[in-house]
Amino acid sequence: IARKEEQYSNRSLFILESSSRMREALIKVVEWPMFDRLVLLLIVCNCIFLMLDDPVCRCQRIEGTPNCVSSADMYKRLLFASKHCDSWPGTDNFLEASEYIFTVLFTGELLIKIIARGLILHKHAFLRDQMNWLDFIVVIASLVSLTNPDTSFSFLRTIRVLRPLRTLTRIKQMRPLINTIIRSLYSLVNVVMLLFFFMLVYGILGIELLSKGLRGRCYVDPLNNKFPPAVLARLQSQQIPFIVEPMRTIGSWDPGIDICSTDASAEPCAPYSMDGIFYNTTCQVMRWCNTGWCTDAHGWNENPYDFGGGYMSYDNFGQAMLTIFQVLTNEGWTDIMYLYEDGWNKWGSRFFHISWVILGSFFVIQLALAVLSHSFVQAQEEEKTAREREALHEEAILQVHERKVPKQKLGMLDHASTMSITANAMGEVSSSRDYSNESITMVERFQLSYLFLTRIRNPKVVWVRDQIVSLFTRAQTTCRIMVSTSHFQNVIFFAIFLNTLCLAADFHCGCR
């Protein structure tokens, strides 16, 4: 109890003193290292039991709730799961019993911690720690749902799915991550506002530049062609009269769409051939209405349905923001770019969409990751500081007086260590080691060779030795200076670049 006695108030719940036997026993239980592990094991077991639940069978078993589950849902369950609900009553009773057991166990854990630390008034009370709020809410909701199973409070049973999240409060390594998410929310709000501002700008630009970009269709021009009666009847009997889509027949949805641009600089529609005769075509954003091109709001060509259900366009603000977000996710953004290359402008579509991908996906999203990284580093530093402060505090509480070594003994130890260091510096080798053994290392061989050379007193050998050492020292110094310069790094990078070019040229023609 003394190890963390500052975390426990003198009185808990206005009743139990810190000297009471029951509270001392509960504090020991809370401080027991296996307590959190047992609670974590209970949470894992409860997750397994929650996975055994079957909402379809449970809904079918509830009395007085007709149409609780449709026949289609039951058919899908039999088709994909290959199971029926005949054995569900026994499983349901087992899960109900286990739910009572787990609720009692988690309630006992909650009461133990509340009695040990207090509820909320003390600085280190149970609810003063934000990590315990989820535990408290889940346990209270479970108690309310079990005490009133047939009332309107039964919806609280769904809060049971939050029990797996309690593992986040049990694993210490998770705390920096949770603190990172909480700390970074304010900064991420600024990043999201910046992202929304750029989305707003690009959405407005898309409406101004790319609106009606997917509504252009190639039509056989009814005004600049002379049709035989049979050809005219065939063109007028299509789902969309005069449209150049040979695959658009009665009963088909939207195949064979050929998007074009009404811009004069765009590529024109190709001539259309019927019965061996070519007819002039034109690109229009409106349909043909009996005597002329439609002028009302219902005469527009529809956006491609197979492309986002017809909602991926820049025709209005909502669809523009949806399209901008789709491009931001980098999922199918090239299809959007290619469609607007055909329906608006080739290089304009490329510049618009690629610039948004670079600005939104690369810059702004990376800025959000940088904010999360900075918050994670701060959370780790705070966690480390808290652990160090706790360690210092515990050391101050449970300070153990070290026995002092007598000065004479310390002096003898210092003298012995000094003699040992001196002997090693002089190169004295212990005679108890057999250096003729093959197990001697290369470092020891070098040390022995150097020791042998240093003990030679012949002037010629000494001169040769000094010259070799001097040459080696100068070469080492020169290499060190050369490697530390920036020009050496540039030469290496240039050599790597040339090597890459040579490899690319070698495999360019594909002869290998």
Side-chain angles (χ1 to χ4, degrees):
I1 299 174
R3 187 170 62 88
K4 293 184 179 180
E5 60 181 5
E6 77 284 355
Q7 296 186 4
Y8 302 100
S9 60
N10 294 329
R11 182 172 298 190
S12 174
L13 301 178
F14 305 102
I15 300 174
L16 297 175
E17 298 286 346
S18 59
S19 58
S20 63
R21 294 184 179 181
M22 184 179 71
R23 192 181 177 199
E24 287 184 359
L26 295 179
I27 291 175
K28 290 181 180 180
V29 171
V30 172
E31 295 296 333
W32 185 37
M34 292 298 297
F35 180 73
D36 286 336
R37 298 178 184 177
L38 291 176
V39 174
L40 184 60
L41 179 61
L42 285 176
I43 295 174
V44 173
C45 293
N46 185 231
C47 294
I48 296 174
F49 280 88
L50 290 176
M51 289 188 296
L52 298 177
D53 194 8
D54 193 331
V56 176
C57 293
R58 179 183 294 277
C59 183
Q60 188 184 27
R61 191 188 180 195
I62 299 176
E63 297 180 357
T65 54
N67 301 325
C68 178
V69 58
S70 63
S71 300
D73 293 333
M74 292 298 301
Y75 176 75
K76 291 178 182 178
R77 187 178 186 281
L78 291 173
L79 180 63
F80 296 105
S82 300
K83 295 188 297 183
H84 49 78
C85 298
D86 294 342
S87 60
W88 173 249
T91 305
D92 190 18
N93 294 331
F94 175 73
L95 293 179
E96 289 291 340
S98 66
E99 181 64 23
Y100 281 100
I101 295 174
F102 282 115
T103 302
V104 170
L105 293 175
F106 289 136
T107 305
E109 175 214 357
L110 183 70
L111 292 176
I112 289 174
K113 290 186 176 180
I114 290 177
I115 294 174
R117 294 193 174 185
L119 183 60
I120 195 172
L121 296 180
H122 182 51
K123 178 182 179 182
H124 298 281
F126 181 77
L127 291 181
R128 289 296 184 93
D129 189 356
Q130 298 178 356
M131 297 296 179
N132 296 326
W133 292 0
L134 179 63
D135 298 352
F136 186 79
I137 293 174
V138 170
V139 171
I140 297 300
S142 300
L143 291 174
V144 174
S145 63
L146 290 180
T147 54
N148 300 278
D150 299 328
T151 61
S152 58
F153 291 101
S154 58
F155 74 93
L156 294 175
R157 291 174 59 89
T158 57
I159 300 182
R160 296 180 305 168
V161 300
L162 298 178
R163 286 179 181 173
L165 296 179
R166 297 182 62 194
T167 56
L168 302 179
T169 62
R170 297 297 183 275
I171 303 174
K172 293 183 179 180
Q173 289 77 7
M174 288 292 183
R175 286 180 176 266
L177 297 178
I178 299 175
N179 293 333
T180 298
I181 296 175
I182 298 174
R183 182 187 302 277
S184 60
L185 287 178
Y186 179 77
S187 300
L188 286 178
V189 168
N190 298 329
V191 176
V192 171
M193 291 178 61
L194 178 64
L195 179 62
F196 181 76
F197 171 77
F198 284 123
M199 290 179 64
L200 185 65
V201 171
Y202 270 81
I204 295 174
L205 286 177
I207 295 173
E208 293 293 332
L209 301 177
L210 285 78
S211 61
K212 302 181 294 184
L214 300 182
R215 297 185 181 271
R217 302 290 187 274
C218 291
Y219 286 87
V220 178
D221 195 349
L223 305 177
N224 297 320
N225 287 296
K226 293 183 179 180
F227 303 104
V231 173
L232 181 62
R234 289 167 58 185
L235 290 175
Q236 290 179 341
S237 63
Q238 296 182 140
Q239 282 184 321
I240 300 178
F242 294 100
I243 194 168
V244 182
E245 290 183 19
M247 294 182 62
R248 181 182 284 271
T249 58
I250 296 176
S252 64
W253 185 252
D254 208 7
I257 288 179
D258 189 11
I259 296 176
C260 61
S261 175
T262 57
D263 192 358
S265 61
E267 184 178 356
C269 295
Y272 184 65
S273 174
M274 291 185 68
D275 298 335
I277 301 176
F278 287 91
Y279 297 94
N280 297 324
T281 57
T282 181
C283 184
Q284 297 291 333
V285 296
M286 307 293 288
R287 298 181 182 182
W288 179 262
C289 293
N290 296 326
T291 59
W293 300 109
C294 300
T295 56
D296 58 346
H298 300 286
W300 291 96
N301 292 322
E302 296 179 354
N303 290 321
Y305 185 83
D306 58 345
F307 188 69
Y311 292 102
M312 292 298 173
S313 68
Y314 296 96
D315 293 346
N316 54 60
F317 182 75
Q319 294 182 0
M321 295 299 289
L322 181 62
T323 308
I324 288 295
F325 180 77
Q326 177 73 18
V327 177
L328 180 66
T329 60
N330 293 336
E331 183 67 28
W333 72 275
T334 53
D335 297 333
I336 300 176
M337 182 181 69
Y338 294 150
L339 286 176
Y340 277 97
E341 284 183 7
D342 298 333
W344 176 54
N345 183 273
K346 182 176 182 180
W347 290 103
S349 176
R350 291 179 179 179
F351 177 79
F352 180 84
H353 292 96
I354 292 176
S355 63
W356 171 239
V357 168
I358 294 176
L359 180 63
S361 299
F362 294 163
F363 290 163
V364 180
I365 300 301
Q366 296 299 325
L367 180 61
L369 295 178
V371 170
L372 290 174
S373 177
H374 179 67
S375 300
F376 180 71
V377 171
Q378 286 186 341
Q380 280 187 324
E381 292 178 353
E382 290 184 357
E383 190 74 16
K384 182 179 178 181
T385 303
R387 288 197 302 266
E388 292 178 352
R389 187 184 299 111
E390 183 180 355
L392 292 174
H393 191 67
E394 292 178 0
E395 184 180 357
I397 294 176
L398 304 176
Q399 183 178 6
V400 179
H401 299 282
E402 299 180 355
R403 291 177 298 178
K404 297 182 180 180
V405 183
K407 294 184 179 181
Q408 296 180 355
K409 189 173 181 180
L410 289 175
M412 293 174 63
L413 292 175
D414 293 339
H415 179 71
S417 60
T418 304
M419 293 296 294
S420 175
I421 295 172
T422 305
N424 291 332
M426 292 295 294
E428 295 181 358
V429 182
S430 176
S431 60
S432 61
R433 175 98 183 247
D434 185 10
Y435 288 94
S436 62
N437 192 0
E438 294 182 357
S439 63
I440 185 173
T441 62
M442 292 299 297
V443 177
E444 292 174 344
R445 289 181 184 274
F446 178 77
Q447 292 176 350
L448 291 174
S449 301
Y450 182 78
L451 179 62
F452 174 74
L453 291 175
T454 54
R455 291 187 176 182
I456 297 177
R457 295 294 184 265
N458 192 335
K460 294 182 179 180
V461 177
V462 171
W463 182 83
V464 173
R465 182 197 65 192
D466 294 340
Q467 292 296 323
I468 294 174
V469 172
S470 177
L471 181 63
F472 177 77
T473 303
R474 283 183 291 177
Q476 184 182 20
T477 305
T478 304
C479 294
R480 185 177 299 168
I481 294 174
M482 181 179 64
V483 171
S484 61
T485 57
S486 59
H487 299 289
F488 181 80
Q489 300 292 337
N490 296 332
V491 170
I492 296 299
F493 290 151
F494 184 70
I496 295 174
F497 179 72
L498 289 180
N499 186 24
T500 305
L501 291 180
C502 293
L503 291 175
D506 189 15
F507 290 93
H508 174 67
C509 63
C511 299
R512 294 192 177 186

